[in-house]
Amino acid sequence: MYDILVIGAGVTGAMISRRLSRYNLKVLLLEKENDVGNVVSNANSAIIHSGYDPLPNSLKAKMNVRGNAMFDQIADELDVHFNRCGSLTVATSDEQLKVLEDLVKRSEANKVPVKLLSEKEVKEMEPNISSEAKGALFAPTAGIIDPFNLVVHAVENACDNGVILKLDEAVVDIKDLKDHFVVKTTKGEYESKIVINAAGLYSDKIAEMIEPIDWKITPRKGEYFVLDHYQVGLVNHTIFPLPSAKGKGVLVSMTSSNNYIVGPSSEPIEDPDDASTDSYTLGEIRRQATELVPSIPFNQVIRVFSGVRPTCTRHDFVIEYAKSNKNFINVGGIESPGLVSSPAIAEYVVDELVSKLINLEEKKDYNPRVKKYNRLNEVSEEVRNKLIKENPDYGKIICSCEKVSLGEIEDLLSRSVPPRTVKAVKKRCRAGFGKCQGGFCSPMVTLLLAKHYGVSPTEIKWDKDHSEILVSEVKK
Ligand SMILES: Cc1cc2nc3c(=O)[nH]c(=O)nc-3n(C[C@H](O)[C@H](O)[C@H](O)COP(=O)(O)OP(=O)(O)OC[C@H]3O[C@@H](n4cnc5c(N)ncnc54)[C@H](O)[C@@H]3O)c2cc1C
């Protein structure tokens, strides 16, 4: 019998599991995908929003502001790239300038530091901004993060502190036996005293497994361009248009890896698993983005992608006990600003909700720090040479675009949540993230994974089921 079973290893379930791992509890984290952070948490803008935008007193506002304040410590403990670059919400007309003043009032209500900038100040801070810019709201606490390693390292840290992770297991049914739950998956059954539903786009379906609910997920897709990291200083902050009913609008931002990202769109869709992109929507994103930053070099686009928001009919996060049994906690509808809110959501769920259900006794040997990871292109030449002397595989470059060595990929395979697919390697160490998008390194990564797991290269997947890269052997 587990004390707590968490469904879903996106950023929400990852942070909750990590928070639970401080205590003497038997915790199981179940994930339907073959890697953690592979759905909504895998495809977003990765902005650590300042929190001026959500409606005051909403859960979104509270969690965003608290989460933002936690991120320096979280990024340090989890060894994740994080840059508090600040954001600018830009007005391009006199009417929009008036809206900025309303946003200042909202910032004050949410207790978020902001500053109204004049046209001259905006243009000095962002030389490539549109000549139409009339002013901007500067939010210095906004930042950008590596969303992939945020989840991977949070789960690794949870597992290092005793949480059990099971991948490739989808929850298909839950029986509420009042003193405990029986959770049925595609592979087996688990008993647990408490269940936490952090299933993202499927959180409403999981909640309905034990009782009827009054909220629903209505998925909204967002498409993006990613640009190569050649041009330095295209923008120095995350640049937003004014927010609308559809969301925060099409932004232009650098990423934590010094690429640029342009997007997202916001379209309602039927199928939550629809991660397609289309040229009409991308064209519209391009049009809107160039209204803010006219010189975006679209000839440097190296990838387009989309992510799906678990938008909720409540227009706020759902973080509450189930009505029929308090031992079932729903953490659903975690759309933007869910990434920045995730550590605060975990704190609230564990300290406020779980603590009323079970005794939280701190572990004496809890370690908040994830195992450090050697990134050779981020250390001095002296350290790099020392590391190569100790392990010559650090001198063998596998991904020449992003300068990732064989030794670094081998290191990933000995961690507590090792990659099992080519995409999982890419998310962790950036092999395949560059200009050639894995054209050169993915065959080598495929062979490396096959050797490590003792299987044929034809069994290695790019990502989800049925995404094997090689069809069959043609030569022996
Ligand atoms: C386009 C876009 C832009 C965004 N930009 C930002 C941003 O800039 N800043 C920000 O703060 N937030 C942003 N967000 C929001 C943020 O990405 C999400 O709030 C967050 O990733 C949600 O995490 P989650 O863990 O709740 O969901 P997910 O990451 O989807 O995790 C849920 C997990 O549950 C698993 N699961 C589902 N059903 C089952 C089942 N039956 N059994 C087992 N496992 C199951 C899924 O496989 C998944 O891994 C954005 C989102 C989108 C789509």
Side-chain angles (χ1 to χ4, degrees):
M1 169 89 71
Y2 287 94
D3 292 313
I4 305 187
L5 185 152
V6 181
I7 304 171
V11 73
T12 308
M15 288 294 174
I16 292 172
S17 302
R18 176 176 184 251
R19 185 103 193 158
L20 289 169
S21 74
R22 297 169 174 222
Y23 303 104
N24 280 318
L25 295 169
K26 217 175 147 200
V27 179
L28 174 65
L29 173 59
L30 283 180
E31 170 54 53
K32 74 173 166 56
E33 299 279 312
N34 59 22
D35 193 15
V36 302
N38 225 28
V39 189
V40 187
S41 306
N42 175 63
N44 52 61
S45 310
I47 309 296
I48 297 306
H49 295 291
S50 61
Y52 75 78
D53 177 41
L55 273 182
N57 295 320
S58 61
L59 276 172
K60 281 186 182 175
K62 287 180 199 156
M63 298 297 148
N64 185 158
V65 176
R66 170 73 186 136
N68 180 294
M70 296 169 86
F71 255 92
D72 295 289
Q73 188 180 342
I74 291 279
D76 177 45
E77 289 176 349
L78 294 182
D79 190 21
V80 180
H81 289 157
F82 172 50
N83 173 4
R84 263 192 208 280
C85 56
S87 70
L88 292 180
T89 303
V90 178
T92 52
S93 67
D94 291 338
E95 294 82 67
Q96 290 197 351
L97 276 179
K98 287 194 195 106
V99 180
L100 286 191
E101 281 165 22
D102 294 341
L103 290 179
V104 171
K105 286 188 197 125
R106 202 180 267 201
S107 313
E108 283 163 2
N110 287 347
K111 298 196 173 60
V112 175
V114 292
K115 188 179 173 228
L116 268 184
L117 301 181
S118 67
E119 180 176 340
K120 184 166 170 277
E121 286 171 316
V122 183
K123 288 178 178 167
E124 273 169 12
M125 282 169 80
E126 290 294 349
N128 291 320
I129 205 82
S130 160
S131 58
E132 303 290 312
K134 294 243 184 298
L137 186 77
F138 175 43
T141 54
I144 46 180
I145 194 135
D146 166 1
F148 312 110
N149 278 316
L150 180 65
V151 183
V152 172
H153 287 187
V155 180
E156 284 186 349
N157 185 235
C159 292
D160 293 345
N161 284 300
V163 169
I164 296 166
L165 166 70
K166 288 187 190 282
L167 295 169
D168 267 332
E169 286 212 45
V171 171
V172 291
D173 187 36
I174 303 174
K175 281 201 170 48
D176 179 358
L177 303 183
K178 297 305 164 197
D179 62 337
H180 73 280
F181 297 90
V182 179
V183 177
K184 191 171 173 215
T185 73
T186 39
K187 287 189 180 163
E189 277 188 359
Y190 303 95
E191 294 185 329
S192 183
K193 294 175 197 158
I194 297 170
V195 170
I196 300 178
N197 163 20
L201 288 159
Y202 290 93
S203 50
D204 55 348
K205 301 284 176 295
I206 295 285
E208 280 170 344
M209 287 180 185
I210 71 148
E211 63 180 10
I213 53 168
D214 61 2
W215 51 281
K216 195 173 153 24
I217 300 295
T218 52
R220 283 194 94 83
K221 189 162 66 175
E223 302 184 24
Y224 292 90
F225 291 99
V226 182
L227 277 71
D228 207 353
H229 44 63
Y230 284 128
Q231 186 178 341
V232 178
L234 173 70
V235 291
N236 305 309
H237 306 83
T238 299
I239 309 290
F240 290 105
L242 291 198
S244 73
K246 278 175 125 188
K248 296 179 190 72
V250 170
L251 60 84
V252 182
S253 182
M254 64 257 197
T255 68
S256 63
S257 49
N258 297 321
N259 293 75
Y260 291 101
I261 192 169
V262 180
S265 52
S266 182
E267 318 127 51
I269 51 168
E270 291 293 322
D271 175 8
D273 298 326
D274 171 8
S276 60
T277 55
D278 66 279
S279 56
Y280 173 79
T281 307
L282 290 168
E284 189 53 26
I285 292 172
R286 185 174 171 154
R287 186 189 65 72
Q288 291 179 31
T290 43
E291 280 178 7
L292 280 181
V293 184
S295 58
I296 298 169
F298 280 97
N299 60 348
Q300 287 183 21
V301 169
I302 54 171
R303 190 173 185 84
V304 295
F305 72 93
S306 76
V308 181
R309 303 168 179 87
T311 304
C312 178
T313 45
R314 269 208 205 159
H315 306 293
D316 201 358
F317 296 156
V318 176
I319 312 176
E320 61 194 24
Y321 298 121
K323 289 191 178 64
S324 57
N325 188 342
K326 279 178 86 169
N327 289 321
F328 192 99
I329 299 174
N330 286 310
V331 192
I334 310 297
E335 61 167 336
S336 188
L339 201 67
V340 51
S341 300
S342 58
I345 292 175
E347 182 182 63
Y348 177 73
V349 167
V350 177
D351 299 13
E352 297 296 325
L353 303 184
V354 174
S355 67
K356 298 198 171 66
L357 307 172
I358 198 164
N359 181 31
L360 296 180
E361 183 195 59
E362 291 212 16
K363 275 180 192 152
K364 293 207 168 59
D365 56 352
Y366 169 71
N367 180 2
R369 294 198 165 269
V370 77
K371 211 169 114 189
K372 275 270 175 194
Y373 175 66
N374 284 327
R375 297 170 173 115
L376 263 78
N377 62 0
E378 292 175 17
V379 295
S380 66
E381 203 174 327
E382 196 189 339
V383 175
R384 195 178 310 142
N385 286 339
K386 188 173 160 276
L387 285 168
I388 293 171
K389 216 172 216 169
E390 284 165 15
N391 176 6
D393 283 353
Y394 284 134
K396 296 176 190 157
I397 295 296
I398 295 281
C399 169
S400 44
C401 299
E402 298 292 311
K403 309 273 179 298
V404 183
S405 68
L406 173 63
E408 286 164 89
I409 300 176
E410 286 168 343
D411 285 351
L412 293 174
L413 294 166
S414 64
R415 293 177 73 90
S416 47
V417 186
R420 291 160 41 172
T421 63
V422 175
K423 181 175 152 190
V425 169
K426 175 183 172 183
K427 276 162 51 177
R428 286 161 174 75
C429 70
R430 298 191 51 76
F433 245 108
K435 202 181 180 75
C436 86
Q437 287 289 298
F440 286 96
C441 64
S442 56
M444 282 183 281
V445 172
T446 305
L447 292 179
L448 203 70
L449 289 172
K451 189 172 163 211
H452 177 79
Y453 289 108
V455 297
S456 159
T458 54
E459 288 179 48
I460 297 300
K461 293 172 190 147
W462 151 247
D463 179 19
K464 295 173 197 285
D465 282 350
H466 314 300
S467 66
E468 286 79 4
I469 298 168
L470 303 167
V471 178
S472 62
E473 287 191 26
V474 287
K475 284 185 193 166
K476 285 275 179 186

